[in-house]
Amino acid sequence: MSSQTQISQTSDIAIAGEIDLAPEIRTRLRQLIDSLPSQPARLRVLGHVLLDLGLGELALNAFGRALLIDDLDAATHLGLTRVYIQTGRRDTGLEHLEIAISLRPDARELRVLAADLLGCRDKMRALDQLGNVLAAEPDHAGARKGLANLVRTVIAGRIEAKKRDIVMRDRAQPMVDHSQFVWNDAEPFGDLVHSSLGRARYHS
């Protein structure tokens, strides 16, 4: 499976549910994973197939075994990224994606994907990833699109924050209506209250 195909599948962040398989079928699939030769490429292929079938736990077993054989294989870490993202463990997936980037620093598409995953929470780190790509290839379409989306998100966030500040600042202070404090149709201490307010106004 090409890295481009892996990347396009990883960018699909829909969480895949586990298929309800009979226990004996799951057992046979686990035996198949264990019986494959110790070749990360074969295990990765099986892992992607299992994940496409919605079998995230078994896919994780296949990629995990590949990782035990060679933990410096960027493609295995990218496969684990896909597993963790599709099973809802986004942070762990991002960790494996960053390992894949460190093993393949020239893989610009991975940096664009990392920026996309980081953008909603850590905009500076996302900007660093996109900046790295654009420094080497200013016309990179994915990085330019990612940067535009990132800038748009930042601007939208600041506009929203400004609106909230204006609303809070313009919100009227609650006024106390002293005429509501009645006692037998008379306003107790009314003269004293008005007199005190008047003195405070003149002395301010």
Side-chain angles (χ1 to χ4, degrees):
M1 179 176 290
S2 69
S3 60
Q4 187 65 35
T5 303
Q6 293 174 0
I7 292 166
S8 64
Q9 290 172 335
T10 307
S11 62
D12 180 11
I13 310 179
I15 298 175
E18 284 285 319
I19 293 177
D20 187 18
L21 290 179
E24 59 270 17
I25 295 178
R26 285 187 180 274
T27 300
R28 287 183 182 180
L29 286 172
R30 285 197 180 92
Q31 289 172 348
L32 174 62
I33 294 170
D34 294 338
S35 65
L36 280 178
S38 297
Q39 298 176 6
R42 291 190 179 186
L43 290 164
R44 285 197 307 272
V45 169
L46 180 60
H48 284 294
V49 170
L50 291 169
L51 191 58
D52 288 341
L53 293 173
L55 301 171
E57 180 188 346
L58 291 169
L60 185 59
N61 289 344
F63 285 115
R65 186 170 166 223
L67 190 69
L68 288 174
I69 297 168
D70 183 3
D71 62 351
L72 297 179
D73 190 312
T76 299
H77 285 284
L78 187 56
L80 285 166
T81 297
R82 184 180 172 222
V83 172
Y84 284 121
I85 288 175
Q86 290 195 9
T87 55
R89 288 169 282 184
R90 189 186 181 100
D91 289 341
T92 307
L94 183 57
E95 289 175 8
H96 281 282
L97 179 57
E98 291 180 334
I99 293 172
I101 291 172
S102 70
L103 294 170
R104 289 176 51 193
D106 59 331
R108 292 168 189 153
E109 297 301 327
L110 299 187
R111 292 185 182 276
V112 173
L113 178 58
D116 183 55
L117 294 176
L118 283 164
C120 61
R121 269 179 330 190
D122 195 334
K123 294 178 177 56
M124 290 308 298
R125 283 176 66 196
L127 185 61
D128 287 343
Q129 294 288 2
L130 293 174
N132 190 290
V133 174
L134 291 169
E137 190 179 340
D139 292 330
H140 192 287
R144 291 176 69 174
K145 182 180 178 182
L147 182 59
N149 290 336
L150 187 60
V151 171
R152 194 177 298 116
T153 302
V154 171
I155 291 173
R158 290 187 178 178
I159 290 174
E160 189 62 31
K162 196 169 186 178
K163 285 181 180 177
R164 285 196 299 268
D165 289 343
I166 292 173
V167 169
M168 293 297 292
R169 190 167 57 247
D170 293 346
R171 185 172 292 168
Q173 294 295 324
M175 300 296 291
V176 178
D177 185 359
H178 295 286
S179 65
Q180 298 300 315
F181 299 100
V182 294
W183 183 267
N184 291 334
D185 296 329
E187 186 182 352
F189 313 114
D191 293 340
L192 179 61
V193 169
H194 290 304
S195 175
S196 299
L197 290 175
R199 285 200 302 274
R201 189 179 301 113
Y202 294 136
H203 284 76
S204 62

